[in-house]
Amino acid sequence: MAASKKAVLGPLVGAVDQGTSSTRFLVFNSKTAELLSHHQVEIKQEFPREGWVEQDPKEILHSVYECIEKTCEKLGQLNIDISNIKAIGVSNQRETTVVWDKITGEPLYNAVAAPVSPGPSVPVAVVPSGSSVPAPGTSSVWLDLRTQSTVESLSKRIPGNNNFVKSKTGLPLSTYFSAVKLRWLLDNVRKVQKAVEEKRALFGTIDSWLIWSLTGGVNGGVHCTDVTNASRTMLFNIHSLEWDKQLCEFFGIPMEILPNVRSSSEIYGLMKAGALEGVPISGCLGDQSAALVGQMCFQIGQAKNTYGTGCFLLCNTGHKCVFSDHGLLTTVAYKLGRDKPVYYALEGSVAIAGAVIRWLRDNLGIIKTSEEIEKLAKEVGTSYGCYFVPAFSGLYAPYWEPSARGIICGLTQFTNKCHIAFAALEAVCFQTREILDAMNRDCGIPLSHLQVDGGMTSNKILMQLQADILYIPVVKPSMPETTALGAAMAAGAAEGVGVWSLEPEDLSAVTMERFEPQINAEESEIRYSTWKKAVMKSMGWVTTQSPESGKNVFVYYCHIFLVC
């Protein structure tokens, strides 16, 4: 960036993007949404026992400080004055659970991590006891299973009717969400029990831990969360937008350890240390909600899909909670100001997206890098009638069929690895269509287009296939950092900051790449119906109880999900 550009820069906004495998700090121009600089630090995932996944809260906090310092150094090298940074937003992995001591500021236990995609939609990877990395071939698809017995016990004593938890929270009773992790900590960690007894304990998701620490910690740190993160705890009533006394009693959670719930866009406190000391922290959104905001999905019926190991689909349902009959979650999308209305979303997950590409690389060896799959698929431009159903651990929403296993069918003597690669990309698109069809049935708002982000969207073949299979346009922003952008927008728009307007006429025009369907509607439907035929063929492979990794866990999750 030339020094002369310094004069035309508007106010800047920073965003902490804290994920499961890395932390980043990014700085945007609030007038143009241009990304000016960023820094990223990898963080560890610990596997102290088989089926346990943890992270060090202090390592996460230190990574945030490091990213902020390094980004500020890079801005200095670009001749950009960091005093132009007027606000900071936080976006975070949502359900990871932290309990800490408000007197010492020390975590009372490692953060109990969240899996890649919600509840029953998570394939299970078992890792060796004491391992610090996932088992080979499992990549980052993992799930902390320590709370299985906690959920089983709770499910037996749900008061009144089986809809008790879901009707208040929009969520199934599952190990995925924070309440059962917190219950496990209270039952099994003496340091946590003692701190609660002595009124020293504070609970929060990663956003709460970071905001408390960054705003002073033991010296006046602000203990808060926003409505989007609160809505993923199973303790929050998404109708009243308050912690629910009945839910807290059901889970046995003392309400005094919970953070204050705030909107997603307001000043929570000021940075108390580091290069940005004195800058307000004024935006907070769970990562998927942040991506929805960053994609500017502010209208009812707008939806975004984030393509990673799995896919996260969120559809804005407006001021109305829409409850799903097809295995989707109801969640808070955002509340962009104390006096602004709350918006809700339906959320669905494709369990196997990028994971199927890694399976072709690591298990079959037909590609050496994930990027090669686009080249293979491009060589043939068709699956030649080959269909791939990656039901590695059963079929999830909308089928809930644990007996299914992955299949590749429609093979002929002409089928080669290029056709299989093409079919793998189609599988991601067909699964996305099934989730979007479920959303349409639940909320009755057919999509006019799908907005996309995430690492896999760099694959142009995949994006074109998605448009063809959905038979609606797929729209991809040229600036891929939509999660961080959403947190920055919320922070910059906060009352008392006011450097980022969220009025439709003021929003920066983001350059979009648009993929229009290139096949006719009839062909799209034929391919989709053939996929469904392949799905039916995948069912019934596991017909007896067996020791296969994940089967019993899947059955358990399906039972819990459908009961709740």
Side-chain angles (χ1 to χ4, degrees):
M1 182 179 294
S4 61
K5 193 163 185 179
K6 181 179 178 182
V8 296
L9 283 177
L12 311 182
V13 180
V16 174
D17 182 6
Q18 206 299 299
T20 53
S21 58
S22 71
T23 298
R24 300 184 303 158
F25 185 68
L26 307 91
V27 174
F28 298 90
N29 183 330
S30 66
K31 299 305 178 189
T32 64
E34 177 190 3
L35 174 61
L36 300 177
S37 188
H38 76 282
H39 188 77
Q40 178 170 335
V41 172
E42 300 299 315
I43 56 173
K44 294 174 187 169
Q45 297 156 4
E46 300 178 16
F47 300 82
R49 294 191 193 177
E50 186 175 298
W52 290 27
V53 187
E54 298 177 359
Q55 293 178 303
D56 180 353
K58 291 180 76 173
E59 181 192 0
I60 291 172
L61 177 61
H62 292 153
S63 72
V64 170
Y65 277 119
E66 182 180 347
C67 286
I68 291 173
E69 298 299 316
K70 296 289 188 184
T71 303
C72 288
E73 288 175 15
K74 292 177 181 179
L75 289 171
Q77 292 164 6
L78 295 169
N79 202 25
I80 298 172
D81 190 342
I82 63 171
S83 67
N84 286 335
I85 298 175
K86 303 303 181 185
I88 297 170
V90 175
S91 166
N92 59 288
Q93 47 172 311
R94 291 177 294 180
E95 292 81 5
T96 296
T97 301
V98 189
V99 182
W100 66 96
D101 188 318
K102 65 182 177 183
I103 306 300
T104 66
E106 293 293 312
L108 294 163
Y109 192 80
N110 270 348
V112 181
V116 170
S117 55
S121 302
V122 184
V124 176
V126 178
V127 298
S129 178
S131 174
S132 61
V133 294
T138 64
S139 186
S140 58
V141 183
W142 39 259
L143 168 62
D144 192 290
L145 300 175
R146 76 186 73 190
T147 55
Q148 277 184 41
S149 59
T150 305
V151 172
E152 286 176 324
S153 174
L154 288 165
S155 68
K156 292 173 184 173
R157 55 182 188 83
I158 291 178
N161 62 71
N162 288 336
N163 212 28
F164 170 70
V165 174
K166 191 176 179 182
S167 64
K168 289 172 175 283
T169 67
L171 310 173
L173 180 58
S174 161
T175 65
Y176 184 76
F177 305 105
S178 304
V180 290
K181 297 173 187 173
L182 183 52
R183 182 66 259 159
W184 184 91
L185 290 168
L186 289 166
D187 289 338
N188 294 279
V189 181
R190 181 56 192 149
K191 280 177 71 176
V192 173
Q193 296 165 354
K194 195 167 186 293
V196 169
E197 291 164 7
E198 296 175 0
K199 311 293 186 187
R200 292 184 286 109
L202 296 178
F203 152 80
T205 41
I206 292 294
D207 59 302
S208 296
W209 162 245
L210 292 179
I211 292 172
W212 184 83
S213 301
L214 296 172
T215 57
V218 296
N219 298 310
V222 178
H223 187 215
C224 69
T225 189
D226 91 300
V227 289
T228 68
N229 282 294
S231 75
R232 310 294 290 191
T233 62
M234 271 197 312
L235 299 170
F236 186 69
N237 189 311
I238 60 174
H239 310 286
S240 66
L241 301 183
E242 296 174 335
W243 298 121
D244 190 281
K245 189 170 184 290
Q246 284 184 308
L247 286 168
C248 290
E249 288 173 353
F250 171 65
F251 287 105
I253 306 297
M255 295 185 77
E256 62 268 18
I257 74 172
L258 303 179
N260 292 318
V261 182
R262 311 275 284 272
S263 76
S264 307
S265 177
E266 61 179 272
I267 295 175
Y268 313 114
L270 306 180
M271 287 284 291
K272 288 296 172 65
L276 298 181
E277 184 176 353
V279 176
I281 300 173
S282 53
C284 181
L285 290 152
D287 52 9
Q288 300 308 319
S289 286
L292 195 73
V293 171
Q295 287 270 31
M296 301 178 201
C297 293
F298 296 131
Q299 303 300 313
I300 296 174
Q302 282 188 297
K304 70 89 195 170
N305 192 20
T306 300
Y307 293 76
T309 300
C311 290
F312 283 98
L313 293 92
L314 264 71
C315 179
N316 186 333
T317 62
H319 308 311
K320 180 183 176 185
C321 285
V322 175
F323 287 88
S324 174
D325 295 320
H326 304 93
L328 308 179
L329 306 180
T330 305
T331 195
V332 175
Y334 53 82
K335 186 179 188 295
L336 295 174
R338 280 178 292 190
D339 301 322
K340 297 293 175 66
V342 64
Y343 281 75
Y344 296 95
L346 271 177
E347 178 172 330
S349 297
V350 171
I352 307 292
V356 76
I357 313 305
R358 282 191 286 275
W359 184 82
L360 293 178
R361 181 192 69 193
D362 299 340
N363 294 41
L364 291 195
I366 69 172
I367 52 175
K368 288 188 171 66
T369 67
S370 297
E371 291 72 28
E372 282 180 39
I373 194 164
E374 184 173 10
K375 182 182 175 185
L376 287 184
K378 192 173 183 179
E379 281 183 30
V380 287
T382 175
S383 69
Y384 200 75
C386 172
Y387 284 79
F388 187 166
V389 182
F392 297 147
S393 302
L395 285 167
Y396 300 90
Y399 298 101
W400 305 114
E401 182 50 68
S403 71
R405 284 298 176 268
I407 62 168
I408 302 174
C409 57
L411 301 174
T412 73
Q413 70 267 36
F414 298 110
T415 306
N416 61 35
K417 65 181 182 179
C418 297
H419 300 116
I420 292 172
F422 196 97
L425 294 180
E426 279 192 315
V428 176
C429 301
F430 286 129
Q431 290 178 98
T432 298
R433 164 124 186 218
E434 293 195 309
I435 297 294
L436 286 177
D437 281 357
M439 284 185 171
N440 288 341
R441 290 194 295 272
D442 283 326
C443 64
I445 310 171
L447 262 66
S448 60
H449 65 278
L450 177 66
Q451 294 170 231
V452 300
D453 57 78
M456 292 184 77
T457 61
S458 61
N459 187 322
K460 292 183 183 296
I461 299 286
L462 176 69
M463 294 295 94
Q464 185 57 55
L465 280 172
Q466 190 68 85
D468 291 344
I469 288 166
L470 295 179
Y471 207 67
I472 57 174
V474 168
V475 180
K476 174 193 169 187
S478 58
M479 203 288 292
E481 305 295 349
T482 54
T483 301
L485 177 61
M489 290 167 64
E495 184 180 348
V497 178
V499 299
W500 206 312
S501 172
L502 297 183
E503 295 301 321
E505 64 272 15
D506 296 329
L507 288 170
S508 301
V510 179
T511 306
M512 297 284 188
E513 188 173 4
R514 191 176 177 93
F515 297 85
E516 299 281 351
Q518 293 183 351
I519 61 176
N520 61 44
E522 185 181 8
E523 184 184 345
S524 179
E525 288 305 314
I526 289 170
R527 283 162 67 175
Y528 186 43
S529 63
T530 309
W531 156 264
K532 286 181 169 288
K533 184 178 175 183
V535 168
M536 293 301 112
K537 298 284 186 187
S538 76
M539 294 183 186
W541 286 96
V542 179
T543 54
T544 58
Q545 288 292 324
S546 71
E548 290 183 69
S549 173
K551 180 180 186 299
N552 293 334
V553 173
F554 185 105
V555 173
Y556 157 73
Y557 272 127
C558 286
H559 168 73
I560 292 298
F561 194 96
L562 295 172
V563 162
C564 298

